[in-house]
Amino acid sequence: MIVTAKIGAIEFSGDEIRIAVIKTGGKLPRVLEVQACTAVYETPENRIAALVQALDKALDALQTHPTTYVLCIPSAFTIVRSLTIPFKGQTRIAKAVPFEIETHLAFPLEELLLDHSIIAEIEGSTEVLAVGVRRHHLKELLGILEEAGVEAEMAAVDAAGLTALWQATQKKGKGLRAVLHVRNGNAVLAVMFNNTLAYFRNLHIDVNQLIENPARAAQEVQNTLRSFLAKWQGGGDIAVLSITGIDMRSDEIQVFEDILGCSITTISIVEQLKGGMEALENNSEEGKYNRWEAAIGAGYSAAGGGITFNLMKDNQQMHGAVRSVVAHLMFSACLALLFLLGGAWYYHEGRLRNEAVIEKAQSDIANLEQEIEAMAAEGLGEDIGYAVFADPSILDILKEITERIPEGNVVLTNIRVSPPGARTPWLDISGSTGSAAEFEDAFDALKASDTFILDENADPRLQGERTTFRIRAYRSQEEKDAL
């Protein structure tokens, strides 16, 4: 299922940062806006700071503000392995993949962030595509985003995003299909089996090499496909190769067909997308060499576009923020945060204990407010200022959530509160239920709240025997285009 959302996909290409904002929900995404900015620096030591500055500039230039952000990882940074697991079962395979791929690594497994997808089950075995990235590569990119005030919800791979976008423009097909995504500095060759990405590889073929020596480029593609087919257990041949991102002359196409022995088709993906060429023209961009398709595809994949690898799912951490001014308000905010964590624990024990904790915390907060007023009355004057926030306290938010969620098999695992002015939603609520019906009951109950407005694009997913969910909410006084 493709959820409806406004997604900002960020891609780092050398010293250039590209941001594509898309609207998902249909078969193909709609391109709303693109922005690019190049980092300028004199010494390598200044590169990171320059990239942060460039990202800030690109973000400030956006006219359309995304609901969430996705990071697009270059396939050149990834480690890709096709594995044959001698048994079936998603849970068993997920545990086996790290051990299977470890034998292919020249460094400790702990340095690799890993995801995988199941290609097919063949004669009692399971074909798996495993994709990983070195931890320090991802840490550097996420650090740049964090410095610019952006929290990425997912780290997608450009090859998967490009192929998912290409697949969405094609008629449904079965068996093996190949696509070559030509970019300005490289190319990505991907092979689909039915509707699943079975293989991809980053090729050192740039646009100039393909134009000047198409026979050499075709030979490298042929060698790569032969290597894949030699290990492929599912049978079948590749009858058609689709080439994206470049307009090829008839003689260049003929060279590819003669060497590969299959039909060649070409396509400009961005021209197939609503708003694609318009967004590019607004920024004086040309729709060539898949300059924007990788970022667009990463956002499309994150919304459920069919081919998804999330290389940061094992690296995600809970973040929260509490803003304060004077000492008493800081103390009360920390006390509220303490009770939030305590309340989350007591939630599992029962709602009655939660209510008792909340009442005590509210009493403490009231006493602190009286103390502040008394200090002001004693002549502190304007030397000490304090802010009055329109947001309800964290405890009030917790009480609102726990009172509205119906009793039953609903478990909250994470409640994140963002400060005013943040680029992320106000509330981010994660948890799990015993069934999709219980999730719907909880979601409908939260929708009735006057404290916050829910994003309708919740994405419940079945994991094992439970349904996990993530709900985003905004302040009731905020007007969000994404809702």
Side-chain angles (χ1 to χ4, degrees):
M1 179 183 71
I2 301 176
V3 300
T4 302
K6 283 184 181 178
I7 299 176
I10 302 175
E11 180 185 19
F12 291 81
S13 179
D15 292 333
E16 185 181 50
I17 295 174
R18 302 167 189 160
I19 306 177
V21 183
I22 64 172
K23 179 70 174 292
T24 60
K27 180 183 176 182
L28 290 171
R30 181 181 184 89
V31 184
L32 302 179
E33 185 177 356
V34 296
Q35 292 290 344
C37 187
T38 301
V40 179
Y41 54 94
E42 296 181 355
T43 63
E45 292 77 12
N46 296 327
R47 181 174 183 269
I48 299 299
L51 286 171
V52 173
Q53 186 176 7
L55 178 56
D56 264 327
K57 186 175 180 180
L59 289 168
D60 291 341
L62 290 177
Q63 301 296 318
T64 306
H65 299 290
T67 305
T68 189
Y69 288 91
V70 173
L71 175 62
C72 181
I73 302 292
S75 56
F77 285 3
T78 61
I79 295 170
V80 186
R81 293 292 183 272
S82 299
L83 306 174
T84 300
I85 310 295
F87 48 77
K88 300 179 182 180
Q90 292 186 4
T91 302
R92 296 175 64 195
I93 289 171
K95 294 178 180 179
V97 165
F99 297 100
E100 292 288 336
I101 201 173
E102 187 173 16
T103 60
H104 299 277
L105 301 178
F107 53 85
L109 179 64
E110 292 74 19
E111 295 182 18
L112 187 69
L113 294 170
L114 185 66
D115 199 2
H116 71 278
S117 68
I118 294 176
I119 303 169
E121 295 178 349
I122 302 172
E123 297 181 355
S125 298
T126 305
E127 296 295 312
V128 174
L129 183 64
V131 181
V133 65
R134 295 287 289 269
R135 191 177 294 270
H136 70 271
H137 284 313
L138 183 60
K139 182 179 179 181
E140 179 181 81
L141 296 179
L142 292 178
I144 296 171
L145 297 186
E146 184 177 357
E147 286 291 325
V150 173
E151 182 180 0
E153 302 291 343
M154 175 178 170
V157 182
D158 62 358
L162 281 164
T163 307
L165 207 58
W166 166 79
Q167 182 188 17
T169 66
Q170 307 298 300
K171 295 180 179 179
K172 291 185 178 180
K174 293 185 178 182
L176 294 173
R177 293 176 294 160
V179 55
L180 179 68
H181 304 292
V182 179
R183 309 200 72 191
N184 195 35
N186 68 306
V188 178
L189 179 64
V191 179
M192 296 286 295
F193 178 66
N194 297 337
N195 294 317
T196 304
L197 182 61
Y199 173 85
F200 72 85
R201 183 183 175 188
N202 184 69
L203 303 181
H204 297 290
I205 302 173
D206 63 22
V207 173
N208 293 330
Q209 291 173 337
L210 191 147
I211 294 174
E212 294 172 2
N213 195 343
R216 183 176 179 182
Q219 192 66 57
E220 184 167 353
V221 172
Q222 183 189 48
N223 293 339
T224 305
L225 290 178
R226 284 178 174 174
S227 175
F228 162 75
L229 291 172
K231 300 177 181 179
W232 173 243
Q233 303 295 320
D237 294 320
I238 298 173
V240 178
L241 172 70
S242 181
I243 300 178
T244 73
I246 186 171
D247 294 327
M248 298 179 64
R249 301 191 310 268
S250 58
D251 60 317
E252 295 170 339
I253 293 176
Q254 188 63 52
V255 170
F256 266 75
E257 289 182 340
D258 291 343
I259 293 177
L260 295 174
C262 66
S263 299
I264 304 296
T265 63
T266 61
I267 181 176
S268 172
I269 298 177
V270 72
E271 293 181 5
Q272 310 297 314
L273 308 180
K274 292 182 179 179
M277 296 308 297
E278 179 182 353
L280 267 56
E281 290 171 0
N282 289 340
N283 269 31
S284 301
E285 295 275 357
E286 294 183 355
K288 291 183 177 181
Y289 313 140
N290 286 311
R291 174 171 163 80
W292 292 100
E293 282 87 337
I296 296 170
Y300 177 67
S301 294
I307 303 174
T308 304
F309 291 97
N310 183 8
L311 298 180
M312 64 180 287
K313 65 179 183 181
D314 293 331
N315 198 46
Q316 290 170 327
Q317 299 177 348
M318 180 179 70
H319 297 279
V322 179
R323 181 173 295 180
S324 59
V325 180
V326 295
H328 280 284
L329 293 180
M330 181 180 292
F331 174 75
S332 66
C334 291
L335 182 65
L337 180 58
L338 176 63
F339 277 112
L340 171 62
L341 298 175
W345 169 259
Y346 281 117
Y347 175 78
H348 300 285
E349 303 296 325
R351 292 178 60 194
L352 292 178
R353 184 175 295 180
N354 277 345
E355 293 176 356
V357 173
I358 290 170
E359 289 178 3
K360 183 179 183 305
Q362 288 176 333
S363 176
D364 290 344
I365 292 173
N367 291 336
L368 287 171
E369 290 175 347
Q370 291 177 2
E371 185 177 347
I372 292 173
E373 293 176 358
M375 291 171 64
E378 290 176 2
L380 291 179
E382 298 181 354
D383 293 335
I384 297 181
Y386 59 92
V388 179
F389 298 106
D391 286 352
S393 69
I394 297 178
L395 291 172
D396 288 337
I397 296 171
L398 176 63
K399 181 178 179 181
E400 178 74 5
I401 294 173
T402 55
E403 284 186 347
R404 288 195 173 275
I405 290 182
E407 294 185 20
N409 194 18
V410 181
V411 176
L412 297 183
T413 57
N414 180 21
I415 302 176
R416 185 181 67 200
V417 183
S418 298
R423 289 183 170 124
T424 53
W426 180 33
L427 302 178
D428 198 323
I429 306 166
S430 300
S432 65
T433 66
S435 67
E438 288 182 342
F439 165 76
E440 294 294 341
D441 292 341
F443 190 78
D444 290 340
L446 290 174
K447 282 176 61 176
S449 173
D450 294 329
T451 304
F452 43 73
I453 300 175
L454 296 189
D455 188 332
E456 295 287 347
N457 304 312
D459 188 16
R461 297 183 180 181
L462 181 63
Q463 292 189 356
E465 297 180 353
R466 296 188 64 80
T467 297
T468 62
F469 62 84
R470 184 175 185 184
I471 299 173
R472 296 179 177 87
Y474 301 97
R475 295 170 177 83
S476 57
Q477 68 269 25
E478 289 180 336
E479 180 177 350
K480 291 291 179 180
D481 295 336
L483 297 182

